[in-house]
Amino acid sequence: MRYTASNIPSLKNRTVFFDANPLIYIFWPTTTDSKEADDYGSILATLMKNNVNLVINEIVLSEIINRVLRIEFNKAGLFQEKFKEFRDSAEGKSVQEDIYKIIKNRILNIFQITNESFSKEDFDSMLTVTKLDFNDKLIELLCKKKNMLLLTHDFDFSLSDVDILSANRKFKSR
């Protein structure tokens, strides 16, 4: 099933798993007029107001850290410099400290952490070429196993058989 912000009051008894991209839109908007930042910020506020259980996992945290560090690297215009050199520089370390502060002080204050031990059979089932990258396959299977609704902007999940909440208009046409 696909849901939009208008469906949130009906989701009170669900657990919502946040993918990395909505959190990046909310906590690291790349422009001052980001529609996605507004949309997902509003969704987060409405979910919180409705006391919906909100969760993330270590994969999402890793994706946030790595993606935001790349965003800041690109914004610094250091295209000649190698990324790992940027990451290890004083500026890169400062960016990492900022990312960690936001995760510690804002994200981890809102979200519970969930995880799952996957079996060899689970991994075997994920080792097929599909639209989803491997991290997305892990998230998809986690949501299936725990009957969680996935909040994502990533249309790669369009063929997934998990329930999805999104502000991405492409999901509405499915």
Side-chain angles (χ1 to χ4, degrees), residues 65-97:
I65 292 164
N66 292 326
R67 182 68 191 120
V68 172
L69 194 56
R70 282 262 179 213
I71 289 168
E72 294 303 319
F73 167 72
N74 291 335
K75 281 175 33 180
L78 304 172
F79 301 106
Q80 305 305 319
E81 187 178 354
K82 290 183 170 58
F83 174 73
K84 288 185 179 183
E85 291 174 10
F86 169 76
R87 185 187 64 199
D88 295 337
S89 71
E91 183 180 0
K93 288 177 183 177
S94 175
V95 168
Q96 289 176 74
E97 287 174 6

PDB file of all heavy atoms in Angstrom, residues 65-97:
ATOM      1  N   ILE A  65      25.619   9.579   7.166  1.00  0.00           N
ATOM      2  CA  ILE A  65      26.973  10.096   7.410  1.00  0.00           C
ATOM      3  C   ILE A  65      27.761  10.173   6.113  1.00  0.00           C
ATOM      4  O   ILE A  65      28.348  11.219   5.781  1.00  0.00           O
ATOM      5  CB  ILE A  65      27.700   9.224   8.456  1.00  0.00           C
ATOM      6  CG1 ILE A  65      27.034   9.388   9.829  1.00  0.00           C
ATOM      7  CG2 ILE A  65      29.193   9.573   8.527  1.00  0.00           C
ATOM      8  CD1 ILE A  65      27.395   8.313  10.840  1.00  0.00           C
ATOM      9  N   ASN A  66      27.763   9.096   5.350  1.00  0.00           N
ATOM     10  CA  ASN A  66      28.544   9.076   4.113  1.00  0.00           C
ATOM     11  C   ASN A  66      28.002  10.030   3.064  1.00  0.00           C
ATOM     12  O   ASN A  66      28.769  10.727   2.388  1.00  0.00           O
ATOM     13  CB  ASN A  66      28.623   7.648   3.558  1.00  0.00           C
ATOM     14  CG  ASN A  66      29.447   6.749   4.455  1.00  0.00           C
ATOM     15  OD1 ASN A  66      30.412   7.180   5.073  1.00  0.00           O
ATOM     16  ND2 ASN A  66      29.059   5.492   4.532  1.00  0.00           N
ATOM     17  N   ARG A  67      26.681  10.107   2.919  1.00  0.00           N
ATOM     18  CA  ARG A  67      26.099  10.990   1.902  1.00  0.00           C
ATOM     19  C   ARG A  67      26.284  12.470   2.259  1.00  0.00           C
ATOM     20  O   ARG A  67      26.652  13.272   1.401  1.00  0.00           O
ATOM     21  CB  ARG A  67      24.603  10.669   1.729  1.00  0.00           C
ATOM     22  CG  ARG A  67      23.933  11.497   0.666  1.00  0.00           C
ATOM     23  CD  ARG A  67      24.459  11.134  -0.726  1.00  0.00           C
ATOM     24  NE  ARG A  67      23.988  12.103  -1.687  1.00  0.00           N
ATOM     25  CZ  ARG A  67      24.771  12.885  -2.434  1.00  0.00           C
ATOM     26  NH1 ARG A  67      26.076  12.766  -2.376  1.00  0.00           N
ATOM     27  NH2 ARG A  67      24.252  13.758  -3.254  1.00  0.00           N
ATOM     28  N   VAL A  68      26.064  12.822   3.517  1.00  0.00           N
ATOM     29  CA  VAL A  68      26.222  14.232   3.909  1.00  0.00           C
ATOM     30  C   VAL A  68      27.683  14.659   3.797  1.00  0.00           C
ATOM     31  O   VAL A  68      27.975  15.773   3.361  1.00  0.00           O
ATOM     32  CB  VAL A  68      25.661  14.484   5.327  1.00  0.00           C
ATOM     33  CG1 VAL A  68      25.995  15.883   5.809  1.00  0.00           C
ATOM     34  CG2 VAL A  68      24.150  14.271   5.336  1.00  0.00           C
ATOM     35  N   LEU A  69      28.595  13.785   4.146  1.00  0.00           N
ATOM     36  CA  LEU A  69      30.013  14.103   3.992  1.00  0.00           C
ATOM     37  C   LEU A  69      30.344  14.339   2.517  1.00  0.00           C
ATOM     38  O   LEU A  69      31.065  15.279   2.172  1.00  0.00           O
ATOM     39  CB  LEU A  69      30.866  12.982   4.579  1.00  0.00           C
ATOM     40  CG  LEU A  69      32.341  13.284   4.807  1.00  0.00           C
ATOM     41  CD1 LEU A  69      32.546  14.514   5.684  1.00  0.00           C
ATOM     42  CD2 LEU A  69      33.019  12.077   5.443  1.00  0.00           C
ATOM     43  N   ARG A  70      29.771  13.543   1.625  1.00  0.00           N
ATOM     44  CA  ARG A  70      29.969  13.746   0.177  1.00  0.00           C
ATOM     45  C   ARG A  70      29.352  15.073  -0.281  1.00  0.00           C
ATOM     46  O   ARG A  70      29.934  15.783  -1.106  1.00  0.00           O
ATOM     47  CB  ARG A  70      29.331  12.618  -0.621  1.00  0.00           C
ATOM     48  CG  ARG A  70      30.119  11.386  -0.631  1.00  0.00           C
ATOM     49  CD  ARG A  70      30.945  11.277  -1.901  1.00  0.00           C
ATOM     50  NE  ARG A  70      31.705  10.048  -1.794  1.00  0.00           N
ATOM     51  CZ  ARG A  70      32.903   9.883  -2.291  1.00  0.00           C
ATOM     52  NH1 ARG A  70      33.475  10.844  -2.955  1.00  0.00           N
ATOM     53  NH2 ARG A  70      33.536   8.754  -2.147  1.00  0.00           N
ATOM     54  N   ILE A  71      28.169  15.389   0.228  1.00  0.00           N
ATOM     55  CA  ILE A  71      27.515  16.654  -0.126  1.00  0.00           C
ATOM     56  C   ILE A  71      28.421  17.826   0.264  1.00  0.00           C
ATOM     57  O   ILE A  71      28.643  18.746  -0.524  1.00  0.00           O
ATOM     58  CB  ILE A  71      26.129  16.766   0.542  1.00  0.00           C
ATOM     59  CG1 ILE A  71      25.136  15.788  -0.094  1.00  0.00           C
ATOM     60  CG2 ILE A  71      25.609  18.205   0.481  1.00  0.00           C
ATOM     61  CD1 ILE A  71      23.837  15.628   0.691  1.00  0.00           C
ATOM     62  N   GLU A  72      28.940  17.779   1.480  1.00  0.00           N
ATOM     63  CA  GLU A  72      29.806  18.868   1.958  1.00  0.00           C
ATOM     64  C   GLU A  72      31.115  18.912   1.175  1.00  0.00           C
ATOM     65  O   GLU A  72      31.632  19.999   0.898  1.00  0.00           O
ATOM     66  CB  GLU A  72      30.058  18.725   3.457  1.00  0.00           C
ATOM     67  CG  GLU A  72      28.800  18.916   4.292  1.00  0.00           C
ATOM     68  CD  GLU A  72      28.116  20.262   4.071  1.00  0.00           C
ATOM     69  OE1 GLU A  72      28.807  21.300   3.962  1.00  0.00           O
ATOM     70  OE2 GLU A  72      26.869  20.282   3.997  1.00  0.00           O
ATOM     71  N   PHE A  73      31.652  17.772   0.814  1.00  0.00           N
ATOM     72  CA  PHE A  73      32.859  17.713  -0.017  1.00  0.00           C
ATOM     73  C   PHE A  73      32.600  18.409  -1.351  1.00  0.00           C
ATOM     74  O   PHE A  73      33.388  19.241  -1.802  1.00  0.00           O
ATOM     75  CB  PHE A  73      33.255  16.253  -0.231  1.00  0.00           C
ATOM     76  CG  PHE A  73      34.293  16.033  -1.301  1.00  0.00           C
ATOM     77  CD1 PHE A  73      35.612  16.398  -1.097  1.00  0.00           C
ATOM     78  CD2 PHE A  73      33.944  15.449  -2.514  1.00  0.00           C
ATOM     79  CE1 PHE A  73      36.570  16.187  -2.080  1.00  0.00           C
ATOM     80  CE2 PHE A  73      34.896  15.237  -3.498  1.00  0.00           C
ATOM     81  CZ  PHE A  73      36.214  15.605  -3.279  1.00  0.00           C
ATOM     82  N   ASN A  74      31.465  18.092  -1.975  1.00  0.00           N
ATOM     83  CA  ASN A  74      31.127  18.706  -3.268  1.00  0.00           C
ATOM     84  C   ASN A  74      30.874  20.202  -3.122  1.00  0.00           C
ATOM     85  O   ASN A  74      31.261  20.989  -3.991  1.00  0.00           O
ATOM     86  CB  ASN A  74      29.921  18.015  -3.893  1.00  0.00           C
ATOM     87  CG  ASN A  74      30.243  16.603  -4.347  1.00  0.00           C
ATOM     88  OD1 ASN A  74      31.385  16.267  -4.625  1.00  0.00           O
ATOM     89  ND2 ASN A  74      29.235  15.753  -4.399  1.00  0.00           N
ATOM     90  N   LYS A  75      30.224  20.617  -2.028  1.00  0.00           N
ATOM     91  CA  LYS A  75      29.981  22.048  -1.800  1.00  0.00           C
ATOM     92  C   LYS A  75      31.272  22.819  -1.594  1.00  0.00           C
ATOM     93  O   LYS A  75      31.360  23.994  -1.945  1.00  0.00           O
ATOM     94  CB  LYS A  75      29.059  22.245  -0.593  1.00  0.00           C
ATOM     95  CG  LYS A  75      27.603  22.014  -0.921  1.00  0.00           C
ATOM     96  CD  LYS A  75      26.633  22.059   0.220  1.00  0.00           C
ATOM     97  CE  LYS A  75      26.825  22.942   1.358  1.00  0.00           C
ATOM     98  NZ  LYS A  75      25.765  22.837   2.383  1.00  0.00           N
ATOM     99  N   ALA A  76      32.277  22.159  -1.027  1.00  0.00           N
ATOM    100  CA  ALA A  76      33.557  22.822  -0.793  1.00  0.00           C
ATOM    101  C   ALA A  76      34.313  23.069  -2.094  1.00  0.00           C
ATOM    102  O   ALA A  76      35.283  23.832  -2.109  1.00  0.00           O
ATOM    103  CB  ALA A  76      34.407  21.991   0.166  1.00  0.00           C
ATOM    104  N   GLY A  77      33.852  22.455  -3.180  1.00  0.00           N
ATOM    105  CA  GLY A  77      34.475  22.679  -4.480  1.00  0.00           C
ATOM    106  C   GLY A  77      35.878  22.112  -4.583  1.00  0.00           C
ATOM    107  O   GLY A  77      36.691  22.615  -5.350  1.00  0.00           O
ATOM    108  N   LEU A  78      36.168  21.104  -3.826  1.00  0.00           N
ATOM    109  CA  LEU A  78      37.505  20.510  -3.818  1.00  0.00           C
ATOM    110  C   LEU A  78      37.575  19.326  -4.771  1.00  0.00           C
ATOM    111  O   LEU A  78      38.049  18.257  -4.424  1.00  0.00           O
ATOM    112  CB  LEU A  78      37.862  20.070  -2.390  1.00  0.00           C
ATOM    113  CG  LEU A  78      37.776  21.160  -1.331  1.00  0.00           C
ATOM    114  CD1 LEU A  78      37.957  20.581   0.055  1.00  0.00           C
ATOM    115  CD2 LEU A  78      38.810  22.242  -1.614  1.00  0.00           C
ATOM    116  N   PHE A  79      37.117  19.550  -5.988  1.00  0.00           N
ATOM    117  CA  PHE A  79      37.011  18.446  -6.933  1.00  0.00           C
ATOM    118  C   PHE A  79      38.366  17.858  -7.305  1.00  0.00           C
ATOM    119  O   PHE A  79      38.450  16.709  -7.694  1.00  0.00           O
ATOM    120  CB  PHE A  79      36.246  18.889  -8.181  1.00  0.00           C
ATOM    121  CG  PHE A  79      34.868  19.378  -7.848  1.00  0.00           C
ATOM    122  CD1 PHE A  79      34.554  20.718  -7.882  1.00  0.00           C
ATOM    123  CD2 PHE A  79      33.885  18.484  -7.463  1.00  0.00           C
ATOM    124  CE1 PHE A  79      33.285  21.166  -7.560  1.00  0.00           C
ATOM    125  CE2 PHE A  79      32.616  18.920  -7.132  1.00  0.00           C
ATOM    126  CZ  PHE A  79      32.321  20.263  -7.179  1.00  0.00           C
ATOM    127  N   GLN A  80      39.435  18.647  -7.194  1.00  0.00           N
ATOM    128  CA  GLN A  80      40.768  18.133  -7.498  1.00  0.00           C
ATOM    129  C   GLN A  80      41.295  17.275  -6.349  1.00  0.00           C
ATOM    130  O   GLN A  80      42.131  16.415  -6.541  1.00  0.00           O
ATOM    131  CB  GLN A  80      41.739  19.289  -7.764  1.00  0.00           C
ATOM    132  CG  GLN A  80      41.295  20.250  -8.857  1.00  0.00           C
ATOM    133  CD  GLN A  80      40.997  19.545 -10.170  1.00  0.00           C
ATOM    134  OE1 GLN A  80      41.712  18.643 -10.570  1.00  0.00           O
ATOM    135  NE2 GLN A  80      39.922  19.939 -10.831  1.00  0.00           N
ATOM    136  N   GLU A  81      40.800  17.565  -5.167  1.00  0.00           N
ATOM    137  CA  GLU A  81      41.260  16.837  -3.988  1.00  0.00           C
ATOM    138  C   GLU A  81      40.510  15.517  -3.867  1.00  0.00           C
ATOM    139  O   GLU A  81      39.324  15.445  -4.143  1.00  0.00           O
ATOM    140  CB  GLU A  81      41.001  17.701  -2.742  1.00  0.00           C
ATOM    141  CG  GLU A  81      41.583  17.136  -1.482  1.00  0.00           C
ATOM    142  CD  GLU A  81      41.344  18.065  -0.295  1.00  0.00           C
ATOM    143  OE1 GLU A  81      40.824  19.176  -0.496  1.00  0.00           O
ATOM    144  OE2 GLU A  81      41.668  17.651   0.803  1.00  0.00           O
ATOM    145  N   LYS A  82      41.182  14.504  -3.463  1.00  0.00           N
ATOM    146  CA  LYS A  82      40.533  13.213  -3.273  1.00  0.00           C
ATOM    147  C   LYS A  82      39.615  13.267  -2.053  1.00  0.00           C
ATOM    148  O   LYS A  82      39.909  13.911  -1.056  1.00  0.00           O
ATOM    149  CB  LYS A  82      41.578  12.127  -3.097  1.00  0.00           C
ATOM    150  CG  LYS A  82      42.358  11.832  -4.370  1.00  0.00           C
ATOM    151  CD  LYS A  82      43.326  10.701  -4.122  1.00  0.00           C
ATOM    152  CE  LYS A  82      43.977  10.182  -5.351  1.00  0.00           C
ATOM    153  NZ  LYS A  82      44.716  11.047  -6.149  1.00  0.00           N
ATOM    154  N   PHE A  83      38.509  12.536  -2.140  1.00  0.00           N
ATOM    155  CA  PHE A  83      37.513  12.546  -1.066  1.00  0.00           C
ATOM    156  C   PHE A  83      38.108  12.111   0.267  1.00  0.00           C
ATOM    157  O   PHE A  83      37.860  12.741   1.294  1.00  0.00           O
ATOM    158  CB  PHE A  83      36.323  11.652  -1.432  1.00  0.00           C
ATOM    159  CG  PHE A  83      35.340  11.511  -0.313  1.00  0.00           C
ATOM    160  CD1 PHE A  83      34.503  12.561   0.029  1.00  0.00           C
ATOM    161  CD2 PHE A  83      35.273  10.334   0.416  1.00  0.00           C
ATOM    162  CE1 PHE A  83      33.604  12.441   1.077  1.00  0.00           C
ATOM    163  CE2 PHE A  83      34.370  10.206   1.461  1.00  0.00           C
ATOM    164  CZ  PHE A  83      33.542  11.265   1.792  1.00  0.00           C
ATOM    165  N   LYS A  84      38.881  11.052   0.282  1.00  0.00           N
ATOM    166  CA  LYS A  84      39.444  10.565   1.551  1.00  0.00           C
ATOM    167  C   LYS A  84      40.392  11.590   2.162  1.00  0.00           C
ATOM    168  O   LYS A  84      40.473  11.704   3.382  1.00  0.00           O
ATOM    169  CB  LYS A  84      40.128   9.216   1.370  1.00  0.00           C
ATOM    170  CG  LYS A  84      39.127   8.096   1.157  1.00  0.00           C
ATOM    171  CD  LYS A  84      39.779   6.751   1.089  1.00  0.00           C
ATOM    172  CE  LYS A  84      38.723   5.680   0.898  1.00  0.00           C
ATOM    173  NZ  LYS A  84      39.262   4.346   0.899  1.00  0.00           N
ATOM    174  N   GLU A  85      41.090  12.341   1.324  1.00  0.00           N
ATOM    175  CA  GLU A  85      41.949  13.411   1.842  1.00  0.00           C
ATOM    176  C   GLU A  85      41.091  14.493   2.486  1.00  0.00           C
ATOM    177  O   GLU A  85      41.452  15.038   3.532  1.00  0.00           O
ATOM    178  CB  GLU A  85      42.822  13.987   0.729  1.00  0.00           C
ATOM    179  CG  GLU A  85      43.883  13.016   0.254  1.00  0.00           C
ATOM    180  CD  GLU A  85      44.659  13.535  -0.946  1.00  0.00           C
ATOM    181  OE1 GLU A  85      44.511  14.730  -1.314  1.00  0.00           O
ATOM    182  OE2 GLU A  85      45.415  12.740  -1.534  1.00  0.00           O
ATOM    183  N   PHE A  86      39.956  14.834   1.842  1.00  0.00           N
ATOM    184  CA  PHE A  86      39.035  15.801   2.430  1.00  0.00           C
ATOM    185  C   PHE A  86      38.516  15.290   3.767  1.00  0.00           C
ATOM    186  O   PHE A  86      38.511  16.011   4.764  1.00  0.00           O
ATOM    187  CB  PHE A  86      37.862  16.080   1.490  1.00  0.00           C
ATOM    188  CG  PHE A  86      36.737  16.858   2.138  1.00  0.00           C
ATOM    189  CD1 PHE A  86      36.854  18.226   2.355  1.00  0.00           C
ATOM    190  CD2 PHE A  86      35.574  16.223   2.550  1.00  0.00           C
ATOM    191  CE1 PHE A  86      35.833  18.944   2.962  1.00  0.00           C
ATOM    192  CE2 PHE A  86      34.544  16.929   3.155  1.00  0.00           C
ATOM    193  CZ  PHE A  86      34.684  18.296   3.359  1.00  0.00           C
ATOM    194  N   ARG A  87      38.085  14.030   3.789  1.00  0.00           N
ATOM    195  CA  ARG A  87      37.533  13.443   5.010  1.00  0.00           C
ATOM    196  C   ARG A  87      38.528  13.515   6.165  1.00  0.00           C
ATOM    197  O   ARG A  87      38.143  13.751   7.312  1.00  0.00           O
ATOM    198  CB  ARG A  87      37.126  11.998   4.740  1.00  0.00           C
ATOM    199  CG  ARG A  87      36.426  11.333   5.897  1.00  0.00           C
ATOM    200  CD  ARG A  87      36.189   9.879   5.649  1.00  0.00           C
ATOM    201  NE  ARG A  87      37.480   9.196   5.552  1.00  0.00           N
ATOM    202  CZ  ARG A  87      37.668   8.023   5.006  1.00  0.00           C
ATOM    203  NH1 ARG A  87      36.657   7.361   4.474  1.00  0.00           N
ATOM    204  NH2 ARG A  87      38.865   7.473   4.964  1.00  0.00           N
ATOM    205  N   ASP A  88      39.806  13.321   5.858  1.00  0.00           N
ATOM    206  CA  ASP A  88      40.835  13.318   6.901  1.00  0.00           C
ATOM    207  C   ASP A  88      41.396  14.702   7.206  1.00  0.00           C
ATOM    208  O   ASP A  88      42.177  14.852   8.143  1.00  0.00           O
ATOM    209  CB  ASP A  88      41.976  12.374   6.488  1.00  0.00           C
ATOM    210  CG  ASP A  88      41.517  10.926   6.421  1.00  0.00           C
ATOM    211  OD1 ASP A  88      40.508  10.575   7.078  1.00  0.00           O
ATOM    212  OD2 ASP A  88      42.157  10.139   5.689  1.00  0.00           O
ATOM    213  N   SER A  89      40.992  15.711   6.436  1.00  0.00           N
ATOM    214  CA  SER A  89      41.482  17.078   6.665  1.00  0.00           C
ATOM    215  C   SER A  89      40.760  17.718   7.851  1.00  0.00           C
ATOM    216  O   SER A  89      39.757  17.188   8.343  1.00  0.00           O
ATOM    217  CB  SER A  89      41.233  17.934   5.409  1.00  0.00           C
ATOM    218  OG  SER A  89      39.834  18.196   5.260  1.00  0.00           O
ATOM    219  N   ALA A  90      41.255  18.864   8.293  1.00  0.00           N
ATOM    220  CA  ALA A  90      40.616  19.584   9.402  1.00  0.00           C
ATOM    221  C   ALA A  90      39.178  19.949   9.042  1.00  0.00           C
ATOM    222  O   ALA A  90      38.268  19.799   9.868  1.00  0.00           O
ATOM    223  CB  ALA A  90      41.425  20.837   9.747  1.00  0.00           C
ATOM    224  N   GLU A  91      38.950  20.403   7.812  1.00  0.00           N
ATOM    225  CA  GLU A  91      37.593  20.750   7.377  1.00  0.00           C
ATOM    226  C   GLU A  91      36.688  19.516   7.361  1.00  0.00           C
ATOM    227  O   GLU A  91      35.554  19.557   7.829  1.00  0.00           O
ATOM    228  CB  GLU A  91      37.628  21.405   5.996  1.00  0.00           C
ATOM    229  CG  GLU A  91      36.259  21.848   5.516  1.00  0.00           C
ATOM    230  CD  GLU A  91      36.286  22.507   4.148  1.00  0.00           C
ATOM    231  OE1 GLU A  91      37.366  22.637   3.533  1.00  0.00           O
ATOM    232  OE2 GLU A  91      35.193  22.894   3.692  1.00  0.00           O
ATOM    233  N   GLY A  92      37.201  18.419   6.829  1.00  0.00           N
ATOM    234  CA  GLY A  92      36.428  17.177   6.783  1.00  0.00           C
ATOM    235  C   GLY A  92      36.090  16.669   8.173  1.00  0.00           C
ATOM    236  O   GLY A  92      34.968  16.207   8.424  1.00  0.00           O
ATOM    237  N   LYS A  93      37.037  16.753   9.085  1.00  0.00           N
ATOM    238  CA  LYS A  93      36.787  16.320  10.464  1.00  0.00           C
ATOM    239  C   LYS A  93      35.755  17.216  11.134  1.00  0.00           C
ATOM    240  O   LYS A  93      34.912  16.746  11.903  1.00  0.00           O
ATOM    241  CB  LYS A  93      38.089  16.284  11.256  1.00  0.00           C
ATOM    242  CG  LYS A  93      38.983  15.132  10.835  1.00  0.00           C
ATOM    243  CD  LYS A  93      40.302  15.146  11.580  1.00  0.00           C
ATOM    244  CE  LYS A  93      41.184  14.008  11.066  1.00  0.00           C
ATOM    245  NZ  LYS A  93      42.497  14.018  11.696  1.00  0.00           N
ATOM    246  N   SER A  94      35.792  18.496  10.831  1.00  0.00           N
ATOM    247  CA  SER A  94      34.809  19.426  11.374  1.00  0.00           C
ATOM    248  C   SER A  94      33.405  19.094  10.859  1.00  0.00           C
ATOM    249  O   SER A  94      32.427  19.120  11.613  1.00  0.00           O
ATOM    250  CB  SER A  94      35.182  20.865  10.997  1.00  0.00           C
ATOM    251  OG  SER A  94      34.192  21.770  11.422  1.00  0.00           O
ATOM    252  N   VAL A  95      33.307  18.773   9.573  1.00  0.00           N
ATOM    253  CA  VAL A  95      32.028  18.366   8.988  1.00  0.00           C
ATOM    254  C   VAL A  95      31.517  17.098   9.679  1.00  0.00           C
ATOM    255  O   VAL A  95      30.347  17.011  10.050  1.00  0.00           O
ATOM    256  CB  VAL A  95      32.159  18.153   7.459  1.00  0.00           C
ATOM    257  CG1 VAL A  95      30.925  17.457   6.891  1.00  0.00           C
ATOM    258  CG2 VAL A  95      32.394  19.481   6.752  1.00  0.00           C
ATOM    259  N   GLN A  96      32.403  16.130   9.880  1.00  0.00           N
ATOM    260  CA  GLN A  96      32.002  14.896  10.555  1.00  0.00           C
ATOM    261  C   GLN A  96      31.507  15.182  11.968  1.00  0.00           C
ATOM    262  O   GLN A  96      30.498  14.617  12.405  1.00  0.00           O
ATOM    263  CB  GLN A  96      33.171  13.908  10.602  1.00  0.00           C
ATOM    264  CG  GLN A  96      33.505  13.315   9.246  1.00  0.00           C
ATOM    265  CD  GLN A  96      34.723  12.421   9.311  1.00  0.00           C
ATOM    266  OE1 GLN A  96      34.623  11.317   9.821  1.00  0.00           O
ATOM    267  NE2 GLN A  96      35.847  12.908   8.809  1.00  0.00           N
ATOM    268  N   GLU A  97      32.191  16.057  12.684  1.00  0.00           N
ATOM    269  CA  GLU A  97      31.749  16.415  14.036  1.00  0.00           C
ATOM    270  C   GLU A  97      30.358  17.033  14.007  1.00  0.00           C
ATOM    271  O   GLU A  97      29.519  16.730  14.860  1.00  0.00           O
ATOM    272  CB  GLU A  97      32.748  17.360  14.694  1.00  0.00           C
ATOM    273  CG  GLU A  97      34.035  16.679  15.103  1.00  0.00           C
ATOM    274  CD  GLU A  97      35.089  17.644  15.625  1.00  0.00           C
ATOM    275  OE1 GLU A  97      34.780  18.848  15.782  1.00  0.00           O
ATOM    276  OE2 GLU A  97      36.222  17.185  15.869  1.00  0.00           O
TER     277      GLU A  97
END
